[in-house]
Amino acid sequence: MKGDAAPAGEGAAPEVVALARVVARLRSEVVDLEGVAATTAVVERAKGVLMAQVGVSADAAYELLLERAGRRGRTVLEECWITLGQVRVRQSRRTAGTARISLPTASTAGPRKEPSTSAFSRRRYLAGHHDDGELNGLLARVADGLAAAHGGDDIAELLVTVLGAATDVDAVMIYTVAAAGSLDLTGSAGIDEALAEQWRHVPPLSGVAALEAVAGRRALWLEDVEQDARRYLLIGDPPERWPARAWVPVPGDGQPRAAIGFLRTRPGPFAAGTRALLRQATRLCAGPLGAPERARDAESVGAAGGGYAEAVQLILDTMAGPATLLTPLRSESGEVEDYRIDAAAPESVDVAGRRGKELVGRRLLETYPTVAGTPLWEGYLETLTTGTRYEGEPFTYEEVAAGVPRQSVYSVRASRLGDHLVVSWICHDTSQRETRRLADMQRLGNLGWAGWNLVTDTVTWSEQVYAIFDREPGRGPMPLEELPSHVVPDDLHQLGAAVERLLSEGEAVDQPFRITTGHGVRHLRIVAEAQTDADGTPVEVHGFFQDVTAQHDIEVALRDSERAVLLQRGMLQAERALAARLQDTLLPIPQQSLELAGLCIDVAYVPADSGINVGGDWYSAIGLPDESALFVVGDVAGHGLAAVGTMAQLRFTAKGMTVTGSPLPDVLRRLNTLLLHTGSDPSGSATATMVMARYQPWDRRLVWVRAGHLPPLLIRGDRAEFLEQPQGTLLGATFAASYEQAALNLLPGDHLLFYTDGLVEEPGEDIGTGLDRLAETAVRLLREGHGETLARTLVALCTAHRDDICVLDVHVPDIRVPDGDVPDGDVP
């Protein structure tokens, strides 16, 4: 009896008897575990052999073992031993006197052709361009060796010996992921003991290629040691010992738990055939390296396997085109209410976009809800009842995709299989309208689609791609090797890296680049993705090229315009700052009312709120040598430094001529001549308006002139009226201008307002309305007691300063100001 323990002696203490029972139970469990481990190893090796012989996955290999065992009346373990025995018989016939592990020598594979290292080498990416017989032979030898391998070191040695000559692989390292996420070296070959001990345990650090391959579930091909060393922690001292290395995750149920590293001393990239070989060899190692699969009840599976779902699914997996296995769901009365999908081909798809095995377990009316009650539904029932094969006429089926109804034409065939239906169908895409729409979309978007089958080396271009590359359609699509001759040299490196990611790694790319054509440089964009086989090797790529030259030109023009605007804005802001500083120097604004020639004067000046230019509004209030006073308000057309410069000319010229005793009309005529003379200067201002008044304190007489300016406002008592204007043309308008003067006597208590148009103008409003509003407001403010600050109060009531505002209020006091207090000179 297995697991027996020596019985405890008579009269033994109770604790000794209990301990003996524990020892016996543990020994029995150890024996059982050894049996399970031995059984699991046999099953995994048999699965590996079938994977190499038939070319199926690990799950499919196990299903095939179950199917063979059920069909031949054997247990699964018996079928596994028979499968391994057949391998050893064939192996012994091929090789006599083999050692424990039968390994082919390096001379069994012929010399390998050096692949091109260019990213634009077509043959580098082609799949299937190798000797299939030789490839299958190598994989068969790996499977034979795995059947007798014990541990990771045996597996690593097997891979180096079998694959070394064909792939130039010199060393192999096998890592498994520990519970804490670290890596443990479970097998190695081709490396010395010191290096193996140094790298036996790798903590979960970033930059470890093996760990990244496991986490990303994709192979990493490190082919540039200088560039790779900046990103990864490379094994070896120095790292250049293996200039090319690959880390391939070992597939399994769920997240991979192991990775195999293939190291080469020969530099250069791995060819497509080599990559496929290493991926498939890694798949063969999944059984010996992976955790034991959960136990399955062979008899229960065989009983259920007497049904059709598992067997039919294996068949449908190999089919091209959509097909499903339907099981009728009947009501209590026996009527068919619906069908359940129990198997589905990979290309089967429903209206929700679910494909293949995603459909298994779903109901027919869930995946194709509008089939009920149609001739197709009746055909299914007839086939299920009579066994007659159903072949329906093409019919239109309406489905809703992304909320948009779409009609498609289908032909369906159904056959009975036991109490099930095998249904296949074809979708007829013959719509010329859809074809025209696709062509219009490519033309309007200036894009065209392209595809490349890496197995048959067939390249397909749409018509628009020929137009984009300025290539005659009769020449056919451009081969990959020719593309660099059209690409702008500065873009070759980035485009080559994108091509390599797409064709080597199967990553989707979206890359801009430039080409030269007979019509100049064009800016293109390529967006492409790859379809891979079960090993992750790209077998077909498809995407589109888009000519974005027009968009690029618009973006460049927009950037140039923005740059010019920013530059101009900076210049204008600097000019405004300078003009404002000059204006502050030329026009000091008093902080309170002033007294001049017995008059009280209130001045207010406010620049415009908007814009970045300084305006040309100005004023002057000075005492003359004969103790009279001069008041001037002007507005120079334009803004900025030119307006400030013209304002300075007018202000100081008017002051100089008046001080020398020139009559006011003569002053305006000379100022007009001055502006006409400087108007040809680009930096000068062409025109200006002005109002000038000279007040004589001895008789309170005011003489005034105007040059196109708004009339002064006289407020006397409760009445406000604008003075009747003398003749006076805009300064700088014409040489034939004439100017006349007017006069009036001011009375104690009078207010005389001189102002610029910013005080009364509003957008879309007649100037007369603004003048009336000014008169009413001035009278109201004086009535409310704002006589001493009338100018400043008027300006404060203007909420939006769209233009410069200058106001000069001349007030005749009721009591004469002593002559000794009259200031002499400019204000302030």
Side-chain angles (χ1 to χ4, degrees):
M1 179 181 296
K2 67 178 181 179
D4 287 342
E10 295 292 338
E15 58 270 16
V16 175
V17 175
L19 181 60
R21 291 175 179 172
V22 171
V23 171
R25 178 172 56 82
L26 292 178
R27 183 175 299 172
S28 176
E29 291 179 358
V30 169
V31 173
D32 291 340
L33 290 175
E34 289 176 349
V36 171
T39 301
T40 301
V42 173
V43 172
E44 292 299 330
R45 291 170 186 169
K47 285 169 55 179
V49 170
L50 288 181
M51 289 168 65
Q53 291 177 345
V54 185
V56 296
S57 65
D59 289 341
Y62 187 77
E63 296 290 346
L64 187 57
L65 287 171
L66 292 178
E67 188 272 332
R68 288 181 178 178
R71 177 160 39 88
R72 298 167 181 171
R74 303 170 182 151
T75 66
V76 175
L77 189 60
E78 289 173 343
E79 187 65 33
C80 291
W81 280 116
I82 292 174
T83 301
L84 294 175
Q86 292 173 347
V87 171
R88 290 192 174 91
V89 170
R90 291 195 301 270
Q91 181 180 356
S92 62
R93 291 175 180 173
R94 287 196 307 267
T95 312
T98 57
R100 178 177 58 85
I101 302 177
S102 177
L103 303 177
T105 61
S107 60
T108 58
R112 184 181 180 279
K113 184 178 180 180
E114 183 81 9
S116 172
T117 60
S118 170
F120 298 95
S121 173
R122 186 180 80 261
R123 293 193 60 84
R124 173 181 172 185
Y125 307 110
L126 295 180
H129 281 251
H130 49 265
D131 188 344
D132 290 338
E134 179 185 351
L135 175 61
N136 292 335
L138 292 175
L139 293 176
R141 293 188 183 97
V142 171
D144 291 348
L146 289 174
H150 295 280
D153 289 337
D154 283 356
I155 296 175
E157 186 68 34
L158 171 69
L159 295 175
V160 171
T161 305
V162 175
L163 305 179
T167 62
D168 293 331
V169 170
D170 306 284
V172 169
M173 302 180 74
I174 302 175
Y175 277 104
T176 56
V177 181
S182 59
L183 295 177
D184 290 332
L185 184 66
T186 55
S188 63
I191 64 173
D192 53 67
E193 288 295 331
L195 185 62
E197 188 61 32
Q198 177 184 354
W199 291 88
R200 188 165 302 281
H201 179 77
V202 180
L205 303 173
S206 60
V208 177
L211 198 59
E212 186 172 317
V214 171
R217 301 185 182 186
R218 64 184 184 92
L220 293 180
W221 309 95
L222 310 184
E223 301 161 335
D224 186 340
V225 66
E226 182 178 350
Q227 180 178 352
D228 296 332
R230 292 194 290 267
R231 180 176 180 184
Y232 298 106
L233 185 64
L234 298 183
I235 295 174
D237 189 18
E240 292 79 6
R241 175 179 177 182
W242 292 297
R245 56 191 77 196
W247 291 97
V248 184
V250 179
D253 294 337
Q255 179 69 26
R257 304 298 299 173
I260 300 180
F262 299 93
L263 314 179
R264 297 197 320 189
T265 56
R266 182 182 64 77
F270 293 86
T274 301
R275 295 187 178 198
L277 178 59
L278 296 181
R279 283 192 177 101
Q280 295 183 35
T282 303
R283 287 180 60 195
L284 292 178
C285 299
L289 292 177
E293 295 184 358
R294 58 183 178 87
R296 306 191 186 196
D297 188 346
E299 294 183 0
S300 63
V301 173
Y308 297 97
E310 294 82 359
V312 172
Q313 184 63 63
L314 291 175
I315 298 173
L316 295 185
D317 285 339
T318 64
M319 290 183 58
T324 58
L325 176 69
L326 303 182
T327 300
L329 302 178
R330 302 180 182 272
S331 64
E332 295 181 357
S333 61
E335 296 182 358
V336 176
E337 294 181 332
D338 202 347
Y339 295 87
R340 184 182 64 244
I341 302 176
D342 284 341
E347 294 186 17
S348 303
V349 60
D350 69 351
V351 295
R354 294 180 289 251
R355 291 181 173 273
K357 292 183 179 180
E358 294 178 341
L359 301 174
V360 175
R362 300 185 180 275
R363 300 195 174 195
L364 179 65
L365 295 182
E366 175 188 354
T367 55
Y368 303 98
T370 60
V371 169
T374 64
L376 178 62
W377 183 270
E378 299 299 330
Y380 285 176
L381 292 178
E382 183 177 355
T383 300
L384 194 61
T385 303
T386 65
T388 305
R389 186 172 63 183
Y390 169 77
E391 293 188 13
E393 295 292 332
F395 67 96
T396 300
Y397 179 80
E398 182 173 296
E399 56 192 6
V400 178
V404 178
R406 182 180 62 189
Q407 291 185 340
S408 302
V409 179
Y410 290 92
S411 294
V412 178
R413 173 182 295 180
S415 300
R416 189 175 71 180
L417 185 62
D419 192 29
H420 306 265
L421 290 179
V422 177
V423 179
S424 60
W425 63 92
I426 299 175
C427 178
H428 303 282
D429 187 10
T430 59
S431 174
Q432 295 182 357
R433 183 174 61 179
E434 293 297 328
T435 304
R436 288 197 305 270
R437 286 179 178 175
L438 179 60
D440 291 341
M441 180 189 68
Q442 294 184 74
R443 176 179 54 81
L444 295 175
N446 207 359
L447 57 86
W449 58 265
W452 184 13
N453 189 315
L454 300 177
V455 178
T456 62
D457 192 17
T458 303
V459 180
T460 307
W461 278 9
S462 68
E463 294 183 3
Q464 192 64 26
V465 179
Y466 290 99
I468 291 174
F469 280 90
D470 197 16
R471 184 180 180 87
E472 290 294 332
R475 299 177 59 188
M478 182 187 304
L480 184 61
E481 290 84 355
E482 184 182 339
L483 182 59
S485 63
H486 299 275
V487 177
V488 174
D490 291 343
D491 296 347
L492 266 179
H493 177 71
Q494 290 185 344
L495 181 60
V499 169
E500 192 163 358
R501 293 197 308 271
L502 173 67
L503 300 177
S504 296
E505 308 298 336
E507 294 183 8
V509 298
D510 185 344
Q511 181 67 37
F513 65 100
R514 294 168 293 173
I515 62 171
T516 55
T517 67
H519 299 85
V521 175
R522 289 181 177 175
H523 294 257
L524 305 187
R525 173 193 180 202
I526 178 175
V527 179
E529 61 181 4
Q531 293 181 349
T532 60
D533 59 12
D535 299 316
T537 302
V539 294
E540 186 175 358
V541 294
H542 53 83
F544 65 84
F545 292 96
Q546 184 176 19
D547 186 349
V548 294
T549 305
Q551 177 183 348
H552 176 268
D553 293 343
I554 293 174
E555 292 175 352
V556 171
L558 181 59
R559 286 197 300 268
D560 292 343
S561 176
E562 291 177 347
R563 191 178 298 112
V565 168
L566 291 175
L567 178 61
Q568 183 68 15
R569 181 179 294 274
M571 295 175 60
L572 292 176
Q573 287 175 340
E575 180 179 329
R576 174 183 175 86
L578 177 58
R581 189 171 302 174
L582 288 174
Q583 191 179 54
D584 290 341
T585 302
L586 296 172
L587 293 176
I589 305 300
Q591 299 299 318
Q592 60 184 356
S593 297
L594 303 174
E595 295 180 358
L596 185 65
L599 302 174
C600 294
I601 303 158
D602 187 32
V603 180
Y605 179 86
V606 177
D609 289 338
S610 60
I612 60 174
N613 281 315
V614 177
D617 290 14
W618 61 282
Y619 75 96
S620 183
I622 62 173
L624 298 177
D626 60 356
E627 297 186 354
S628 62
L630 177 69
F631 306 104
V632 186
V633 171
D635 186 358
V636 178
H639 297 82
L641 287 175
V644 174
T646 302
M647 177 267 291
Q649 278 186 317
L650 294 177
R651 184 171 187 269
F652 292 116
T653 302
K655 181 198 298 185
M657 287 190 294
T658 307
V659 169
T660 59
S662 299
L664 297 184
D666 290 346
V667 174
L668 290 183
R669 278 191 291 271
R670 293 176 183 177
L671 292 178
N672 180 63
T673 303
L674 175 65
L675 287 188
L676 289 170
H677 176 70
T678 59
S680 59
D681 186 356
S683 63
S685 178
T687 60
T689 66
M690 183 186 299
V691 59
M692 299 178 62
R694 181 176 180 178
Y695 175 73
Q696 301 172 169
W698 54 85
D699 59 2
R700 294 181 184 151
R701 186 172 179 80
L702 183 122
V703 179
W704 67 287
V705 294
R706 59 175 288 272
H709 203 83
L710 295 174
L713 176 63
L714 175 63
I715 308 168
R716 181 171 290 171
D718 291 335
R719 183 179 179 185
E721 62 179 353
F722 294 96
L723 301 183
E724 185 176 349
Q725 302 184 75
Q727 182 177 349
T729 308
L730 183 74
L731 295 178
T734 175
F735 283 101
S738 62
Y739 300 95
E740 297 179 356
Q741 69 179 17
L744 77 154
N745 294 323
L746 296 181
L747 301 178
D750 286 350
H751 285 266
L752 186 62
L753 286 177
F754 300 93
Y755 53 92
T756 57
D757 54 7
L759 183 65
V760 294
E761 285 186 342
E762 291 289 342
E765 183 181 78
D766 183 75
I767 187 65
T769 303
L771 293 175
D772 294 340
R773 182 173 56 250
L774 172 61
E776 295 174 0
T777 305
V779 172
R780 178 175 56 82
L781 292 177
L782 290 177
R783 191 181 299 120
E784 294 174 357
H786 296 283
E788 295 182 358
T789 60
L790 180 59
R792 284 172 283 175
T793 306
L794 286 171
V795 171
L797 293 177
C798 298
T799 56
H801 302 154
R802 299 179 179 86
D803 195 2
D804 294 352
I805 301 176
C806 182
V807 181
L808 186 67
D809 174 34
V810 177
H811 172 50
V812 182
D814 293 331
I815 301 176
R816 182 177 177 82
V817 179
D819 293 341
D821 295 334
V822 177
D824 185 15
D826 278 351
V827 178

